[in-house]
Amino acid sequence: MPRFKSRRDRCQSVRFTASTKFSITTGAKRRLSKIGYVPVKLSRPLPSVPSSVTVIKDASGRYFASFVVDVETEPISGEAPEIGVDLGLRHFAVLSDGTKIEAPRLLRRAEEKLKRAQRSVTRKEAGSANREKARIKLARAHVRVADARRDFHHQLSTQLIRENQAIAVEDLSVSGLARTRLAKSVLDAGWSSFVAMVEYKAAVHGRRFFRIGRFEPTSQTCSKCESKDGPKPLHVRTWQCKTCGLWLDRDVNAAVNVAQAAGLAVTACGAQVSPPQGGEAH
């Protein structure tokens, strides 16, 4: 077994460079210095000869091998629209064209299972083998949630990059929102990780990425006439502009304003909604 830097780190790793003469055999095995041949399941064929490999052990006892390789990426060609993205809790993302993507709420769905696993750990004697087994079971429950969230972020960010030539998002204060009563939902959404994925994929594939300031009044401004109507309670999902009289969807209107603040060519038609019965915002 490799000697990791610290036994107390949540994620332990050891790196093997080319000087250690590691190798990948045709039988899907890797040879590591002072360890020998270790079977490896590759997620995809390596595009070139790796210059180094890092063996990672996570809190649940799983081992991963991360290879450093040289790869050439080609920009995505073809005309594509420009969009603004408004991130939220009810819908994970709302696009300026009116598309709404539901939030998976992975932590909320696994909350009861995580609570039972946590109680099982606390009931075991400290330092016992049974406590270590319960701890690993709890860690595996957590990594399943994290893996599912990461997979959701990757699929959505890749879809947005492929279908749009320019993407604008709002720079949210996640650390500030994490100190409010919405903290669990905010952390469950993982906005920062998602935005980071969109940003680096845009750079790799030649797409344009914009991050507008967090103090832009995107939910207070009419995307058609640009008049500010002031802050609104969270339960108000549609509202009527007092200047032009247009009925607007709160989230889509914010996404349009995000795109327009970045200078993207989008129209406000996607934010328009039919007036609710009774004529009052709801």
Side-chain angles (χ1 to χ4, degrees):
M1 297 298 293
R3 179 177 297 177
F4 295 103
K5 296 179 182 179
S6 173
R7 294 183 178 181
R8 297 186 179 183
D9 289 343
R10 179 181 63 84
C11 186
Q12 300 173 333
S13 64
V14 59
R15 187 182 184 192
F16 297 89
T17 60
S19 61
T20 60
K21 298 181 179 180
F22 72 88
S23 62
I24 302 294
T25 67
T26 56
K29 291 185 178 181
R30 66 174 182 267
R31 183 185 180 280
L32 301 178
S33 177
K34 298 182 181 181
I35 297 177
Y37 290 96
V38 180
V40 57
K41 183 182 294 184
L42 297 175
S43 60
R44 71 198 70 175
L46 295 177
S48 62
V49 178
S51 60
S52 67
V53 58
T54 302
V55 179
I56 304 169
K57 179 185 178 183
D58 66 10
S60 64
R62 301 184 302 177
Y63 287 88
F64 298 91
S66 175
F67 296 92
V68 177
V69 296
D70 291 328
V71 59
E72 295 183 2
T73 58
E74 297 181 0
I76 301 176
S77 59
E79 293 295 327
E82 302 174 340
I83 61 164
V85 182
D86 178 63
L87 300 175
L89 297 179
R90 176 173 297 187
H91 295 92
F92 177 81
V94 178
L95 310 185
S96 54
D97 61 3
T99 303
K100 296 184 178 182
I101 300 163
E102 292 293 329
R105 295 183 176 89
L106 298 165
L107 181 62
R108 294 287 187 180
R109 287 159 52 184
E111 200 167 16
E112 289 302 321
K113 183 180 294 185
L114 293 173
K115 286 181 179 179
R116 289 195 298 268
Q118 182 64 61
R119 285 196 295 265
S120 179
V121 173
T122 57
R123 289 169 181 170
K124 302 296 187 296
E125 182 180 354
S128 66
N130 286 336
R131 186 183 180 94
E132 179 62 16
K133 292 179 182 178
R135 185 200 66 78
I136 293 177
K137 186 176 180 180
L138 173 63
R140 288 176 178 173
H142 276 288
V143 297
R144 278 194 290 268
V145 175
D147 289 347
R149 183 187 297 114
R150 191 179 304 111
D151 181 67
F152 170 75
H153 288 167
H154 271 298
Q155 292 194 34
L156 179 57
S157 58
T158 300
Q159 178 184 347
L160 293 179
I161 291 299
R162 286 177 177 173
E163 297 178 353
N164 302 279
Q165 63 176 331
I167 300 174
V169 299
E170 188 176 6
D171 184 20
L172 298 173
S173 177
V174 177
S175 59
L177 292 171
R179 292 192 293 268
T180 66
R181 61 182 180 86
L182 301 174
K184 185 177 292 187
S185 297
V186 169
L187 297 177
D188 187 17
W191 294 327
S192 296
S193 299
F194 171 74
V195 172
M197 288 182 186
V198 174
E199 185 173 13
Y200 88 75
K201 290 179 182 180
V204 168
H205 296 290
R207 300 299 201 184
R208 291 183 295 158
F209 174 83
F210 301 91
R211 193 194 299 260
I212 71 166
R214 65 185 60 171
F215 298 109
E216 286 286 338
T218 56
S219 62
Q220 305 176 20
T221 305
C222 175
S223 55
K224 182 179 180 181
C225 66
E226 299 184 356
S227 64
K228 295 182 181 179
D229 204 11
K232 303 164 188 63
L234 290 177
H235 71 272
V236 176
R237 310 315 303 173
T238 61
W239 56 284
Q240 185 179 25
C241 177
K242 296 179 180 179
T243 302
C244 65
L246 188 67
W247 282 94
L248 300 165
D249 181 287
R250 179 192 183 111
D251 298 327
V252 180
N253 178 72
V256 172
N257 285 329
V258 168
Q260 292 177 347
L264 303 184
V266 298
T267 62
C269 60
Q272 300 179 24
V273 295
S274 301
Q277 295 182 358
E280 296 182 359
H282 65 281

